[in-house]
């Protein structure tokens, strides 16, 4: 069964303390993997799309990487404004191109 | 500043009543998605459309939910009759598929928070 699992469920970091969020997936065919950021009371906001293993993308303090089984979202020297829930999603080739979201990682950056 | 709009933002209704949620996708986008978000299940895909045609709605209960796109500027999600377990935040998102079947960025609306008593 196609599945997307994110870990940890929640993460508290001090400002400036770098870390990584994990998204592991099991799908028979991957078309793309997406990272979104969601602030409380708002809709998810797009961050990155990764299409193939080995691909990396960066945006400010965030860097996303992709392997054949998982993706990491690296956060370097985070600031309190990076606090949010980070969602990972995959587009599965063998499920009529449906998009499956993970349950997210709640990130809290302490000043 | 193009954005997806959803109405209403909040809806409180009683069990058994009909609920209609509306979404205006970004002009020019050819794909529209409906999602439901709860604490327990996270974000679940209910249905999606390409060029106004329904591609898949297997994620939603067929007996009570229906999704349509009467025109390119309006997508609707109806629940009839509503039940307390339908309480959730419902999001609409739109996107532009250029290379066939490869999705990229989805733009999400602010959501409709539904409470069924």
């Amino acid at each position: 069964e196609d599945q997307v699992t994110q870990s940890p469920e929640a993460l508290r970091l001090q400002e400036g303390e770098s870390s990584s969020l994990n998204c592991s997936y099991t799908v028979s065919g991957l078309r793309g993997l997406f990272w979104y950021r969601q602030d409380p009371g708002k809709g998810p906001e797009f961050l990155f799309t990764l299409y193939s293993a080995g691909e990396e993308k960066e945006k400010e303090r965030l860097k996303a990487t992709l392997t054949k089984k998982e993706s990491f979202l690296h956060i370097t020297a985070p600031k309190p404004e990076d606090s949010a829930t980070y969602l990972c999603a995959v587009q599965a080739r063998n499920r009529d191109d449906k998009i499956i979201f993970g349950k997210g990682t709640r990130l809290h950056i302490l000043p | 500043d193009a954005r997806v709009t959803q109405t209403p933002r909040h809806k409180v209704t009683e069990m058994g009543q009909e609920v209609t949620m509306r979404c205006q996708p970004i002009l020019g986008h050819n794909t529209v998605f409906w999602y439901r978000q709860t604490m327990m299940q996270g974000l679940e895909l209910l249905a999606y459309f390409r060029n106004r045609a329904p591609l898949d709605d297997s994620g939603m209960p067929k007996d009570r939910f229906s999704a349509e796109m009467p025109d390119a500027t309006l997508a609707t999600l109806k629940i009839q009759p509503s039940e307390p377990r339908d309480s959730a935040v419902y999001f609409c998102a739109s996107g532009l598929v250029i290379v066939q079947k490869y999705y990229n960025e989805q733009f999400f609306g602010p959501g409709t928070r539904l409470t069924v008593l």
Side-chain angles (χ1 to χ4, degrees):
Chain A
E1 181 183 345
D2 296 328
Q3 213 167 14
V4 178
T5 303
Q6 291 189 246
S7 62
E9 288 187 14
L11 182 62
R12 293 167 68 92
L13 299 171
Q14 289 294 136
E15 183 174 0
E17 181 183 1
S18 302
S19 188
S20 296
L21 312 183
N22 177 263
C23 171
S24 62
Y25 61 91
T26 52
V27 295
S28 300
L30 179 72
R31 284 201 191 277
L33 184 141
F34 313 91
W35 282 98
Y36 285 84
R37 168 192 171 128
Q38 186 173 25
D39 293 300
K42 296 187 176 182
E45 179 183 340
F46 174 79
L47 292 173
F48 305 108
T49 306
L50 301 166
Y51 291 110
S52 57
E55 190 175 357
E56 298 182 353
K57 287 193 177 173
E58 288 188 65
K59 181 180 179 180
E60 296 181 355
R61 296 177 292 281
L62 300 176
K63 178 181 177 180
T65 61
L66 180 64
T67 72
K68 290 186 177 180
K69 293 184 178 180
E70 58 192 350
S71 176
F72 291 94
L73 184 65
H74 308 277
I75 302 178
T76 302
K79 298 181 178 181
E81 53 262 41
D82 294 322
S83 298
T85 295
Y86 290 85
L87 298 167
C88 169
V90 300
Q91 181 187 356
R93 187 193 306 266
N94 67 328
R95 289 193 64 187
D96 300 320
D97 299 301
K98 285 185 180 179
I99 293 181
I100 307 164
F101 273 84
K103 294 189 176 179
T105 293
R106 296 188 308 278
L107 178 66
H108 186 56
I109 308 299
L110 301 167
Chain B
D1 185 24
R3 60 184 66 187
V4 175
T5 59
Q6 290 186 247
T7 57
R9 293 293 312 278
H10 303 272
K11 176 73 175 179
V12 179
T13 190
E14 294 189 347
M15 182 173 62
Q17 297 298 305
E18 177 178 304
V19 176
T20 298
M21 290 169 272
R22 294 176 174 81
C23 166
Q24 182 173 15
I26 292 174
L27 188 66
H29 282 185
N30 58 6
T31 309
V32 175
F33 304 82
W34 280 107
Y35 292 91
R36 174 171 64 184
Q37 188 173 42
T38 62
M39 288 294 293
M40 290 296 295
Q41 299 298 326
L43 203 59
E44 300 173 282
L45 179 63
L46 298 176
Y48 58 107
F49 297 79
R50 176 85 49 78
N51 296 321
R52 293 178 55 203
L55 289 186
D56 192 281
D57 60 2
S58 61
M60 64 184 190
K62 297 289 191 307
D63 56 337
R64 300 185 299 109
F65 284 60
S66 62
E68 296 180 345
M69 276 202 77
D71 60 61
T73 64
L74 177 65
T76 63
L77 180 66
K78 290 185 181 181
I79 307 175
Q80 168 62 22
S82 59
E83 297 181 2
R85 59 180 167 154
D86 300 328
S87 297
V89 181
Y90 291 81
F91 288 105
C92 173
S94 71
L96 182 62
V97 175
I98 299 174
V99 177
Q100 187 178 6
K101 295 188 176 182
Y102 281 84
Y103 299 142
N104 196 349
E105 178 176 7
Q106 290 183 43
F107 293 79
F108 280 77
T112 294
R113 182 174 294 277
L114 174 65
T115 302
V116 183
L117 303 174

